[in-house]
Amino acid sequence: MISQQEYQSRRNQLAHKLPQGSVALIPAAHEIIRNGDAHYRFRQDSNFYYLTGFNEPDALLVLIAGVENQSILFNRLRNPAEEQWTGKRLGQDGAVSELGMQAAFPISSVEEELPKLLNGKSAIYYAFACNPEIEKTITNTLKTLKNQVRRGVKAPDQLCDLGPILGEMRLFKSEAELELMRRAASISVKAHEQAMRRCKHLEHEYQLEAELIYEFSRHGCRSVAYDPIVGCGENACVLHYTENSKPLHRGSLVLIDAGGEYENYAADITRTFPINGAFSPEQRSIYELVLKAQKAGIAAVKPGLPWNKIQEIMVRILTEGLCSLGILNGDIEELIAKEAYKPFYMHNSGHWLGLDVHDSGLYKINGEWRALEPGMVLTVEPGLYISANIPGVEERWWGIGVRIEDDVAVTKTGHEVLTAALPVEIHEIEALMRD
Ligand code: GLY
Ligand code: MN
Ligand code: MN
């Protein structure tokens, strides 16, 4: 649970990062029609949620930077008739009393009120290229102000990207955020364990997906953080396979990449295991190699480590291992230099994790890979994917796709693996699947 004080202090912090005389506009998400009268499940905009903790659609946060910075919310009017159908709304009084806003107006009055708030300001900050409607609102507001110049009105003359500023704030998690991420992680651990335990009774990829979703939901992850990937055999080699419709073949591996979302915070976990509960010699060789790379990648995580070092460490281990198995041949340094591992490992070591599964925050600063710092949370997720169509690879390796992914918080002295409770060793997985 994140306190209202924490949301308020985030707004203050953001206001202090902006030049005097500027205004930040942060829109909420809208409800989106799925088909007919049915909507997609509502998911709040991450930037808006980060600054307000407010989960209703159709709202706009206006942050005025200045000596006494102000948070003003435009949100939906209370409407008993509509609330009878769709549930209670906070309204403007609630925005002031419960969210600590200095003022609140109905969202329907944006066109009328926003020009008054922006009159005389120098810059408008908003997240570029995220929300076409806010761009339209800004254009309309500027038009209104420019039409009034003869009356002494002054329109802002700078548009600035808020994304990177907010992205940097979101990159460093508070203790309260880490608590929510631990919860998302531990529920997701339960879901993966359930999938491993239930596998022997199941026939199709979507039945494993059903076990995951059951476990997420019943422990309070009301949504997935992203569509689960459940790929059996060759499907495991498709990195973002979400069709999840094919039969589970005894003798194949299945790759499950799934994470729950808890109070809008994501977990992101991948495990790979044999459908029949026992790794074949080839599956074991590839799995152990990926696990060795992942352990070394995680072990390196500590403050000061440059972001790209994790990938470098893992690429070296994977390349050496592929040579030992006879899948690659040649001098290790040359193979790494010419990226000979790429047909088998074509993605990066991971990404930031938080309110978004691929969370905000830069990876390079002034052209250099940034160093890890306490409070950052990242995934470490090496893989090897041996599709049948890679030339020169013996048939016995075909259709083996392995990824192992855990969520890691950088601490003052090293790291904390948020998903450490989930079995990852072969003997642990085989024992759990026999349960
Ligand atoms: N689940 C998406 C990813 O691992 O990046
Ligand atoms: Mn990931
Ligand atoms: Mn993942």
Side-chain angles (χ1 to χ4, degrees):
M1 178 79 180
I2 292 176
S3 67
Q4 276 316 321
Q5 285 74 12
E6 184 162 336
Y7 290 115
Q8 282 184 39
S9 99
R10 290 176 190 171
R11 295 197 292 271
N12 287 338
Q13 234 181 303
L14 175 57
H16 282 117
K17 286 178 190 289
L18 302 180
Q20 288 267 336
S22 52
V23 176
L25 303 180
I26 304 102
H30 295 299
E31 286 188 300
I32 300 170
I33 292 281
R34 181 176 182 274
N35 61 304
D37 287 337
H39 291 88
Y40 286 103
R41 177 175 287 213
F42 178 72
R43 169 55 160 80
Q44 188 55 282
D45 175 85
S46 295
N47 282 339
F48 180 87
Y49 189 78
Y50 180 76
L51 293 170
T52 62
F54 183 46
N55 241 334
E56 287 185 26
D58 302 327
L60 173 67
L61 174 66
V62 180
L63 202 64
I64 302 181
V67 193
E68 9 70 283
N69 54 63
Q70 282 197 311
S71 296
I72 293 162
L73 191 71
F74 289 87
N75 61 336
R76 299 184 301 183
L77 269 175
R78 300 285 318 266
N79 181 331
E82 284 191 26
E83 288 178 42
Q84 169 78 63
W85 287 85
T86 54
K88 204 162 156 28
R89 297 176 179 184
L90 189 63
Q92 287 66 54
D93 291 347
V96 173
S97 61
E98 290 184 35
L99 302 178
M101 299 289 159
Q102 274 69 52
F105 299 97
I107 187 72
S108 52
S109 68
V110 166
E111 297 247 326
E112 191 186 326
E113 297 296 334
L114 197 55
K116 295 181 202 161
L117 295 171
L118 289 178
N119 178 17
K121 303 295 181 201
S122 50
I124 300 174
Y125 280 76
Y126 71 101
F128 284 5
C130 289
N131 180 324
E133 282 177 42
I134 192 66
E135 298 184 356
K136 225 162 52 189
T137 302
I138 291 169
T139 305
N140 289 344
T141 306
L142 290 176
K143 259 192 215 155
T144 306
L145 289 170
K146 281 164 177 260
N147 282 341
Q148 297 175 13
V149 283
R150 285 174 302 279
R151 282 191 240 150
V153 162
K154 181 194 166 291
D157 55 10
Q158 295 167 55
L159 295 180
C160 307
D161 193 3
L162 183 65
I165 300 169
L166 215 36
E168 281 305 288
M169 287 177 65
R170 283 175 46 191
L171 178 56
F172 295 90
K173 274 67 182 177
S174 68
E175 195 41 50
E177 288 182 289
L178 285 171
E179 263 315 302
L180 295 178
M181 294 191 73
R182 286 188 191 103
R183 186 99 181 105
S186 80
I187 293 171
S188 303
V189 164
K190 286 188 179 59
H192 278 260
E193 285 174 342
Q194 171 82 353
M196 288 180 196
R197 243 188 253 111
R198 291 279 304 146
C199 187
K200 57 178 169 289
H201 304 291
L202 308 178
E203 300 293 332
H204 285 87
E205 293 165 345
Y206 56 78
Q207 293 174 313
L208 280 168
E209 180 183 287
E211 298 290 342
L212 296 161
I213 289 171
Y214 168 70
E215 225 28 44
F216 289 148
S217 298
R218 78 193 193 97
H219 293 293
C221 281
R222 303 300 314 284
S223 180
V224 290
Y226 52 93
D227 275 344
I229 295 162
V230 183
C232 174
E234 188 73 27
N235 297 337
C237 300
V238 178
L239 298 181
H240 284 175
Y241 172 83
T242 50
E243 192 184 309
N244 304 350
S245 62
K246 298 291 187 294
L248 298 171
H249 292 294
R250 312 285 134 186
S252 292
L253 292 175
V254 63
L255 181 155
I256 298 184
D257 183 344
E261 188 177 73
Y262 188 78
E263 295 193 11
N264 287 339
Y265 283 84
D268 183 7
I269 306 181
T270 309
R271 287 293 183 269
T272 311
F273 54 88
I275 305 287
N276 63 10
F279 285 81
S280 73
E282 285 77 15
Q283 292 167 350
R284 178 178 290 266
S285 300
I286 299 296
Y287 187 92
E288 282 179 340
L289 177 51
V290 176
L291 182 57
K292 183 177 174 191
Q294 201 224 17
K295 282 181 178 172
I298 291 176
V301 171
K302 62 168 193 232
L305 185 83
W307 168 263
N308 63 327
K309 197 72 190 154
I310 305 170
Q311 179 76 334
E312 274 181 33
I313 290 167
M314 300 201 301
V315 157
R316 179 165 294 273
I317 292 172
L318 293 174
T319 306
E320 286 169 355
L322 287 170
C323 284
S324 306
L325 296 174
I327 296 171
L328 284 179
N329 292 294
D331 174 72
I332 300 291
E333 301 308 326
E334 275 176 30
L335 290 171
I336 291 175
K338 67 178 193 206
E339 301 184 330
Y341 54 86
K342 275 259 167 99
F344 310 100
Y345 177 47
M346 60 297 281
H347 56 77
N348 219 316
S349 65
H351 46 85
W352 307 130
L353 184 71
L355 282 168
D356 293 322
V357 65
H358 292 176
D359 207 30
S360 57
L362 297 172
Y363 292 84
K364 276 187 169 177
I365 295 194
N366 298 329
E368 300 289 332
W369 293 107
R370 79 187 301 162
L372 299 181
E373 295 178 57
M376 294 172 165
V377 181
L378 58 140
T379 65
V380 180
E381 50 178 307
L384 286 173
Y385 312 92
I386 313 184
S387 300
N389 53 15
I390 302 181
V393 176
E394 278 181 71
E395 196 172 335
R396 67 195 176 105
W397 302 111
W398 290 3
I400 296 180
V402 174
R403 177 163 66 253
I404 307 174
E405 175 175 27
D406 283 282
D407 303 343
V408 184
V410 185
T411 62
K412 284 203 183 83
T413 52
H415 62 262
E416 172 190 349
V417 182
L418 306 181
T419 47
L422 183 60
V424 70
E425 300 290 342
I426 284 182
H427 67 91
E428 293 174 326
I429 290 176
E430 289 183 344
L432 183 60
M433 293 186 74
R434 276 195 297 271
D435 257 11

PDB file of all heavy atoms in Angstrom, residues 268 351 358 379 381 405, ligand 2:
ATOM      1  N   ASP A 268       7.749 -10.526 -13.618  1.00  0.00           N
ATOM      2  CA  ASP A 268       8.066 -11.029 -14.961  1.00  0.00           C
ATOM      3  C   ASP A 268       9.007 -12.224 -14.785  1.00  0.00           C
ATOM      4  O   ASP A 268      10.195 -12.044 -14.516  1.00  0.00           O
ATOM      5  CB  ASP A 268       8.736  -9.899 -15.764  1.00  0.00           C
ATOM      6  CG  ASP A 268       9.040 -10.298 -17.191  1.00  0.00           C
ATOM      7  OD1 ASP A 268       8.628 -11.389 -17.615  1.00  0.00           O
ATOM      8  OD2 ASP A 268       9.710  -9.499 -17.882  1.00  0.00           O
ATOM      9  N   HIS A 351      15.524  -5.985 -18.671  1.00  0.00           N
ATOM     10  CA  HIS A 351      14.956  -4.637 -18.757  1.00  0.00           C
ATOM     11  C   HIS A 351      14.573  -4.173 -17.365  1.00  0.00           C
ATOM     12  O   HIS A 351      14.468  -4.985 -16.437  1.00  0.00           O
ATOM     13  CB  HIS A 351      13.718  -4.644 -19.673  1.00  0.00           C
ATOM     14  CG  HIS A 351      12.782  -5.783 -19.370  1.00  0.00           C
ATOM     15  ND1 HIS A 351      11.827  -5.706 -18.383  1.00  0.00           N
ATOM     16  CD2 HIS A 351      12.682  -7.046 -19.879  1.00  0.00           C
ATOM     17  CE1 HIS A 351      11.179  -6.866 -18.317  1.00  0.00           C
ATOM     18  NE2 HIS A 351      11.682  -7.702 -19.203  1.00  0.00           N
ATOM     19  N   HIS A 358       8.089  -3.547 -19.095  1.00  0.00           N
ATOM     20  CA  HIS A 358       9.301  -2.912 -19.625  1.00  0.00           C
ATOM     21  C   HIS A 358       9.247  -1.489 -19.079  1.00  0.00           C
ATOM     22  O   HIS A 358       8.669  -0.597 -19.699  1.00  0.00           O
ATOM     23  CB  HIS A 358       9.329  -2.933 -21.151  1.00  0.00           C
ATOM     24  CG  HIS A 358       9.486  -4.326 -21.702  1.00  0.00           C
ATOM     25  ND1 HIS A 358       9.459  -4.614 -23.037  1.00  0.00           N
ATOM     26  CD2 HIS A 358       9.681  -5.522 -21.089  1.00  0.00           C
ATOM     27  CE1 HIS A 358       9.629  -5.922 -23.227  1.00  0.00           C
ATOM     28  NE2 HIS A 358       9.758  -6.486 -22.053  1.00  0.00           N
ATOM     29  N   THR A 379      15.152  -7.273 -14.762  1.00  0.00           N
ATOM     30  CA  THR A 379      15.071  -8.714 -14.991  1.00  0.00           C
ATOM     31  C   THR A 379      16.427  -9.201 -15.502  1.00  0.00           C
ATOM     32  O   THR A 379      17.169  -8.436 -16.132  1.00  0.00           O
ATOM     33  CB  THR A 379      14.002  -9.080 -16.030  1.00  0.00           C
ATOM     34  OG1 THR A 379      14.388  -8.534 -17.301  1.00  0.00           O
ATOM     35  CG2 THR A 379      12.631  -8.544 -15.644  1.00  0.00           C
ATOM     36  N   GLU A 381      17.422 -12.412 -17.824  1.00  0.00           N
ATOM     37  CA  GLU A 381      16.669 -13.418 -18.561  1.00  0.00           C
ATOM     38  C   GLU A 381      17.389 -13.948 -19.798  1.00  0.00           C
ATOM     39  O   GLU A 381      16.936 -13.741 -20.920  1.00  0.00           O
ATOM     40  CB  GLU A 381      15.300 -12.863 -18.956  1.00  0.00           C
ATOM     41  CG  GLU A 381      15.306 -11.491 -19.641  1.00  0.00           C
ATOM     42  CD  GLU A 381      13.896 -11.063 -20.040  1.00  0.00           C
ATOM     43  OE1 GLU A 381      13.224 -11.851 -20.719  1.00  0.00           O
ATOM     44  OE2 GLU A 381      13.484  -9.951 -19.673  1.00  0.00           O
ATOM     45  N   GLU A 405      14.145 -16.531 -16.278  1.00  0.00           N
ATOM     46  CA  GLU A 405      14.037 -15.091 -15.997  1.00  0.00           C
ATOM     47  C   GLU A 405      13.631 -14.852 -14.547  1.00  0.00           C
ATOM     48  O   GLU A 405      12.656 -15.428 -14.068  1.00  0.00           O
ATOM     49  CB  GLU A 405      12.971 -14.473 -16.923  1.00  0.00           C
ATOM     50  CG  GLU A 405      12.683 -13.016 -16.635  1.00  0.00           C
ATOM     51  CD  GLU A 405      11.726 -12.390 -17.635  1.00  0.00           C
ATOM     52  OE1 GLU A 405      10.896 -13.120 -18.226  1.00  0.00           O
ATOM     53  OE2 GLU A 405      11.803 -11.167 -17.831  1.00  0.00           O
TER      54      GLU A 405
HETATM   55 MN    MN B   2      11.305  -9.770 -19.169  1.00  0.00          MN
END
